[in-house]
């Protein structure tokens, strides 16, 4: 017991120590939508709601990860309770949870290695190397890697429990842990195969585990399908567009080879990679083929634990190599979070054949080198500015590096209050996107980003050119013709814009932006009857979306907009009421209230408008006593009082909002509103 506790403490210490610079970092990239802008993280929600809706409920990304969302919510509550920051500069509690999970997973690998018959010192070497391996840095150092951290901990816990047999509590416990892994990240589904393949189990135990875990995961998958309505990402969210199963085999072998290389030579470490422009060469596929052959040979020779370790590396990669199902990403280092446990276990099992002094020396060197590389990588996670600069430093040849930096600059431009500085930032982003398109000329996503930026900069001709290229080169990508229509609309080429919008709607009938764009074209052409017919069609589409995404306020808000355009003010107010009832955040509540008040005042119903504001004020003010972001609630109260015409009260709440936030971009926006109110 003392030895086990010692290994646990060592693993946690190594995880924290090797990533210490990242612990002081803030929210980066996907952390903003997954944490900061996720109402199921920042607002009080029930467990039932978390289980009933997709991951990040305000975006359709084809993911279902309620355990990950619940983990973020608990971190957010702790952050508020202890008065810790959670912003672009610092989010220590969130990072600390990732490191604690990484240490726990390393200790669980020690437990599994002991089950494999390894001596304590060699099992501890496996845990230490796993805790510091640089290939796991994206999963551990990046808050959005929480899904991978949870998956790894629950999966290894399930394997440790199941390795002891399937009698009494072990079968259902392993099954429960497998479901928790699956509801953390989709790779957990492979436990239905991995658990029954554990060496040392009797045939009866294998059957018991197969029944327990298999049944539990089938039920969990059925519920997931019910929530999402599909297996996972669909349409534009998927990569390798238009490829068949046979055509994806070389790509799968290529990325498997890259994952193997990452385990042996984890440099450079990047957050974004270019999509392949062509079928990979045979030489690029050979390492993956060789490892598959090694796994088959180990299985044939009945080397049970080495074969299982090889399977622990390969099988969790199955759901993410885009072979059987096309996911949303070609290659990502964080996908190695669980597979790296298999690679490390296989390597340490191989050290049994080496004299102990040499094995110990090799283990110490590997752990030391891994810790040094992980520590160095941790500095890149200080903030998104540092991360995107590091990406361009380490992979200047990739278009993805320029695109990643450009997206960060576009976000920064949105938060800058100095108009001239914001314009300079947008121009810098545009220049980087042009460079990205030069380096990755066949990447549709880069072309779309560039077209949007050019459209925003007023270079309509260039935007049309790139959007048309996407439309012609990626015929299944509805975003291409949708953006093309927007660009053509600005050139007053109305017939071509209408054709582009209709092409987008044929590919994706729920593309509301294209539908509203088509309405704009028809209005300019004075085709009144067609405008009304299109608005009715779009309203029906919004109604279907509001029913399907029953938790999300945006669809009824769109219904309200369409009803208002159709002259149905009463119906618009009803839909806005539905949207407010679904609303969790204070900021959106204010927006919906402003739209309600505008309609009522236009109808000459000022008393009703004021009563509506007062009702929302009475609803929002008690939120100050809940686990919600105080600055957001105070700012909402200020805007509501301003809408009500009570300037002194609005000034007081804006001042309280300023006192409650430490985020520079939020403070700058609040100060501008307060100055405008005082004038």
């Amino acid at each position: 017991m003392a030895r086990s506790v010692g290994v646990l403490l060592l693993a946690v210490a190594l995880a924290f120590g090797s990533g210490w610079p990242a612990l002081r970092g803030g929210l980066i990239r996907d952390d903003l939508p997954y944490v900061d802008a996720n109402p199921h993280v920042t607002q009080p929600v029930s467990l039932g709601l978390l289980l009933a809706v997709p991951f990040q409920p305000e975006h359709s990304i084809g993911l279902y990860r309620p355990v990950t969302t619940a983990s973020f919510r608990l971190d957010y509550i702790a952050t508020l309770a202890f008065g810790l920051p959670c912003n672009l500069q610092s989010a220590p509690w969130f990072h600390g949870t990732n490191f604690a999970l990484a240490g726990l997973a390393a200790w669980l690998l020690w437990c599994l290695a002991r089950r494999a018959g390894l001596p304590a010192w060699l099992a501890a070497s496996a845990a230490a190397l796993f805790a510091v391996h640089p290939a796991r840095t994206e999963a551990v150092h990046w808050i959005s890697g929480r899904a991978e951290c949870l998956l790894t901990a629950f999966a290894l816990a399930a394997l440790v429990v199941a390795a002891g047999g399937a009698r009494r509590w072990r079968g259902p416990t392993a099954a429960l842990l497998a479901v928790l892994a699956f509801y953390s990240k989709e790779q957990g589904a492979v436990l239905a195969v991995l658990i029954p393949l554990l060496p040392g189990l009797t045939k009866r135990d294998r059957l018991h585990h197969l029944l327990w875990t298999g049944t539990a995961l089938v039920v969990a998958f059925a519920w997931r399908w019910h929530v999402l309505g599909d297996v996972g990402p669909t349409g534009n969210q998927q990569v390798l567009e238009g490829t068949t199963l046979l055509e994806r085999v070389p790509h799968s072998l290529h990325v498997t080879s890259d994952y193997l290389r990452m385990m042996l030579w984890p440099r450079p470490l990047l957050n974004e990679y270019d999509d392949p422009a062509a079928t990979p060469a045979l030489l690029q596929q050979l390492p993956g083929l060789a490892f598959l052959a090694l796994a088959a040979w180990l299985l044939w020779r009945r080397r049970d634990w080495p074969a299982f370790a090889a399977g622990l590396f390969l099988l969790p990669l199955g759901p993410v190599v885009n072979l059987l199902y096309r996911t949303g990403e070609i290659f990502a280092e964080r996908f190695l979070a669980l597979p790296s446990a298999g690679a490390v276990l296989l390597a340490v099992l191989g050290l049994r054949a080496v004299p102990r002094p040499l094995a110990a020396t090799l283990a110490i060197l590997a752990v030391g080198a891994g810790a040094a590389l992980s520590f160095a990588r941790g500095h890149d996670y200080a903030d998104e500015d540092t991360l995107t600069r590091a990406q361009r430093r380490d992979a200047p040849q990739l278009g993805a590096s320029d695109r990643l930096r450009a997206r960060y600059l576009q976000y920064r431009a949105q938060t800058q209050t100095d108009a001239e500085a914001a314009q300079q930032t947008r121009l810098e982003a545009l220049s980087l996107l042009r460079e990205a398109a030069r380096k990755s000329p066949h990447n549709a996503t880069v072309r779309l980003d560039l077209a949007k930026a050019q459209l925003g900069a007023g270079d309509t001709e260039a935007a049309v050119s790139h959007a048309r290229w996407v439309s012609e080169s990626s015929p299944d990508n509805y975003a291409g013709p949708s953006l093309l229509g927007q660009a053509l609309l600005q050139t007053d080429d109305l017939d071509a814009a209408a054709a582009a919008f209709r092409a987008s709607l044929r590919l994706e009938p729920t593309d509301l932006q294209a539908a509203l764009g088509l309405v704009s074209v028809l209005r300019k052409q004075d085709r009144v009857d067609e405008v009304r017919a299109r608005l009715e069609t779009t309203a029906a589409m919004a109604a279907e979306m509001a029913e399907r995404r029953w938790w999300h306020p945006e669809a009824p808000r769109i219904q309200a907009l369409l009803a208002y355009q159709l002259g149905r003010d009463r119906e618009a107010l009803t839909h806005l009421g539905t949207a407010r009832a679904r609303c969790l955040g204070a900021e959106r509540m204010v927006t919906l209230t402003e739209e309600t008040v505008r309609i009522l005042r236009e109808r000459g119903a000022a008393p009703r408008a004021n009563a509506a504001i007062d009702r929302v004020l009475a609803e929002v003010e008690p939120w100050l006593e809940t686990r919600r972001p105080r600055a957001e609630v105070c700012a909402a109260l200020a805007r509501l009082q301003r809408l009500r015409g009570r300037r002194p009260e609005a000034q007081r709440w804006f001042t309280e909002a300023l006192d409650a936030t430490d985020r520079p971009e939020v403070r700058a926006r609040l100060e501008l509103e307060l100055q405008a109110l005082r004038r």
Side-chain angles (χ1 to χ4, degrees), residues 106-175:
W107 173 74
L108 288 165
L109 182 62
W110 178 81
C111 297
L112 190 63
R114 293 291 284 156
R115 294 279 190 187
L118 287 175
W121 72 272
L122 206 47
S125 299
L129 180 56
F130 186 56
V132 304
H133 200 291
R136 299 186 66 224
T137 51
E138 185 180 52
V140 178
H141 295 182
W142 190 16
I143 292 170
S144 292
R146 176 67 56 80
E148 283 78 8
C149 293
L150 288 166
L151 156 76
T152 306
F154 283 126
L156 290 175
L159 292 172
V160 170
V161 169
R167 309 299 167 83
R168 296 182 181 177
W169 59 274
R170 290 186 182 273
T173 302

Side-chain angles (χ1 to χ4, degrees), residues 57 67 109 176 196 240 245 252 293 343 348 361 382 416 505 515 586 639 646 667:
V67 174
L109 182 62
L176 174 61
L240 297 176
L245 176 63
S252 300
V348 174
T361 301
Q416 288 176 308
L505 289 167
R639 289 163 187 146
R646 298 168 179 161
R667 290 186 62 84

